[in-house]
Amino acid sequence: MYQTSRRIERAVTIEDLRRSAHRRLPAFVAEYLEGGAENEVTLARNRTAFSRRTLAPCALVDVSAVDLSTTLFGKRLPLPFVVAPTGLNGLLADQGDLQLAAAAARAGIPFAQSMVSMATIEAVARCLDTPHWMQLYVLRERAFAEHLIERALAAQCAALVLTVDGPVYGNREWDRRHYARPAVLDWPSRLETLAHPRWIADIWRRGRGPRFVNVETYTGTRMSAPQTAHWLRERMDASLHWSDLAWLRARWPRPLIVKGLLAADDVRRAIDAGVDGVVLSNHGGRQLDLVGSPLDLLPQVARFAKGRIALLMDSGIRRGSDVAQALALGADAVLVGRAVLYGLAAGSEAGAARALAILADELTRTLALLGRPTVDALDASIFAEGMHTGPVPAMRPSARPA
């Protein structure tokens, strides 16, 4: 049985938070949060990838003190987590990006702010005493990237994350079914939204809906969220090339991370281009369907990239044991997206903090039961050779929004 109480502190698993989030959100927002591309094969693979391996614990090891700390870009962190860059968080909770940043700060971990966040870079910076990373999509108008980089540098952002798996928008068919035309909800979705008065009161409590304020700062024009989304979609630079990394590298003197790689050769090219880190990612299954899980690529990439750059991954993490597997296969840390967004949607900052606490508690227990008292003790020896199971069906939301 899953916990169904609205009291966030009683959530035991990320799934508990997901169910609470579904009760609170209107269907069109819940589908934006949950959905993947086309047949959602990749969305399912992200979860089944974590169920294929069998763990092999070591007994009679002193695990009276389990240490989850790790080092990333020279900074010691209490947990091997980074809050992933995610957009439209202002539709999950009032001031969602600030609430999420505050939860990351409470946990002592980096917060990666999306370019399409709904809070300014400067406002997020004021929430954080932990590393503040800024995520970037490159538009055809390079002046926009230069504008964002200047502000990120002034706000003392510790790293820049270039997302490269979005030259065009993924085909998220379930999401599209809520709209009569781009950015305009159909009438059934509008009427269904009225069944969520608490969400409406929360999101519009300031007298206006959330907007993409970092884009507005550049354009000088106040636009609604749908108008801004359309503006961005029309300007995405589908011609972005490896040679453009030099242009970005010359403008960003701090750690530069490339997010969205799924091929070992691309990781090699990124290293040659002088990046400081990569995120193996399939965008949470939201871009191209039928691609593989970053978890399965990790061992191959770790053989030549480990120790040369920061090696990170995301996509599909819902349990502390998922984190342990990623670290054992070579990741230095993981980016957490949907798991913490479920908490945000269920209970704002407290919910996001609860999600991180659940993952940390599960990771601590997993390390103790594996007989590995530190994150550094995790390696491929935690897996039993010849004992791989078949994939377990992924858990998709039991009550998908109509």
Side-chain angles (χ1 to χ4, degrees):
M1 294 292 293
Y2 291 105
Q3 176 58 245
T4 58
S5 169
R6 285 185 168 84
R7 293 172 58 188
I8 293 302
E9 67 273 13
R10 295 194 62 188
V12 176
T13 65
I14 298 300
E15 176 64 14
D16 290 344
L17 294 172
R18 187 192 69 79
R19 291 181 175 234
S20 293
H22 270 255
R23 282 197 306 272
R24 179 176 170 273
L25 297 174
F28 83 95
V29 180
E31 186 50 52
Y32 171 79
L33 173 58
E34 294 281 20
E38 297 185 347
N39 292 327
E40 300 187 333
V41 174
T42 295
L43 191 71
R45 282 177 178 169
N46 285 342
R47 289 300 304 134
T48 57
F50 290 103
S51 66
R52 287 199 298 267
R53 295 169 177 83
T54 301
L55 300 179
C58 292
L60 297 177
V61 176
D62 182 0
V63 291
S64 57
V66 174
D67 181 8
L68 301 184
S69 65
T70 192
T71 300
L72 200 58
F73 298 122
K75 184 175 180 61
R76 197 69 178 169
L77 303 174
L79 299 167
F81 307 157
V82 177
V83 174
T86 51
L88 292 175
N89 294 332
L91 288 180
L92 303 181
D94 177 49
Q95 301 289 292
D97 295 288
L98 301 183
Q99 306 267 15
L100 205 55
R106 189 192 303 188
I109 61 176
F111 174 74
Q113 181 181 1
S114 172
M115 185 183 91
V116 289
S117 60
M118 292 176 154
T120 65
I121 300 172
E122 296 77 13
V124 169
R126 289 192 291 270
C127 288
L128 292 169
D129 54 7
T130 52
H132 180 189
W133 297 3
M134 190 65 209
Q135 180 267 341
L136 174 69
Y137 293 104
V138 175
L139 307 184
R140 292 193 304 273
E141 300 172 20
R142 295 300 172 86
F144 178 81
E146 292 174 343
H147 163 82
L148 203 75
I149 288 169
E150 288 174 4
R151 289 175 58 199
L153 288 170
Q156 300 303 309
C157 290
L160 185 70
V161 183
L162 174 67
T163 298
V164 297
D165 58 0
V168 297
Y169 197 73
N171 185 21
R172 302 166 199 172
E173 294 167 352
W174 277 94
D175 187 30
R176 288 166 53 197
R177 290 187 174 101
H178 287 280
Y179 295 86
R181 60 182 185 276
V184 178
L185 284 175
D186 61 21
W187 279 106
S189 296
R190 295 187 199 188
L191 293 174
E192 193 276 338
T193 298
L194 296 178
H196 300 271
R198 292 184 179 179
W199 176 84
I200 293 171
D202 181 43
I203 300 303
W204 272 269
R205 70 171 59 189
R206 300 172 193 277
R208 57 175 175 80
R211 307 193 315 276
F212 295 107
V213 288
N214 289 304
V215 177
E216 289 184 355
T217 302
Y218 170 73
T219 63
T221 303
R222 180 166 175 163
M223 297 183 284
S224 68
Q227 287 172 330
T228 310
H230 181 71
W231 185 91
L232 287 167
R233 209 177 286 191
E234 284 194 329
R235 288 163 175 78
M236 292 297 290
D237 188 359
S239 70
L240 193 68
H241 187 265
W242 286 104
S243 59
D244 294 311
L245 273 181
W247 173 85
L248 195 60
R249 177 78 280 180
R251 286 159 175 78
W252 184 261
R254 299 169 191 163
L256 176 61
I257 303 165
V258 173
K259 180 179 182 292
L261 301 183
L262 277 177
D265 284 346
D266 282 347
V267 177
R268 289 189 177 92
R269 296 189 75 171
I271 293 172
D272 292 342
V275 306
D276 303 286
V278 298
V279 183
L280 304 182
S281 172
N282 59 34
H283 215 105
R286 295 164 70 81
Q287 284 295 94
L288 177 63
D289 204 11
L290 301 178
V291 298
S293 164
L295 186 76
D296 294 330
L297 179 61
L298 260 174
Q300 180 185 358
V301 171
R303 282 195 288 270
F304 66 84
K306 186 75 171 176
R308 299 177 66 188
I309 57 170
L311 184 54
L312 310 167
M313 72 149 282
D314 67 11
S315 302
I317 290 168
R318 303 289 185 274
R319 288 281 188 181
S321 56
D322 300 340
V323 180
Q325 289 190 59
L327 300 177
L329 291 175
D332 295 304
V334 299
L335 275 65
V336 183
R338 280 189 182 93
V340 71
L341 294 184
Y342 293 146
L344 177 69
S348 299
E349 179 189 343
R354 181 62 187 150
L356 292 170
I358 287 170
L359 291 174
D361 181 61
E362 290 179 350
L363 181 57
T364 299
R365 186 181 302 108
T366 299
L367 263 63
L369 293 174
L370 281 172
R372 271 68 170 188
T374 67
V375 164
D376 292 339
L378 291 171
D379 57 28
S381 67
I382 73 165
F383 301 111
E385 292 186 20
M387 293 180 64
H388 292 198
T389 63
V392 177
M395 294 188 64
R396 191 65 171 98
S398 57
R400 182 116 191 198

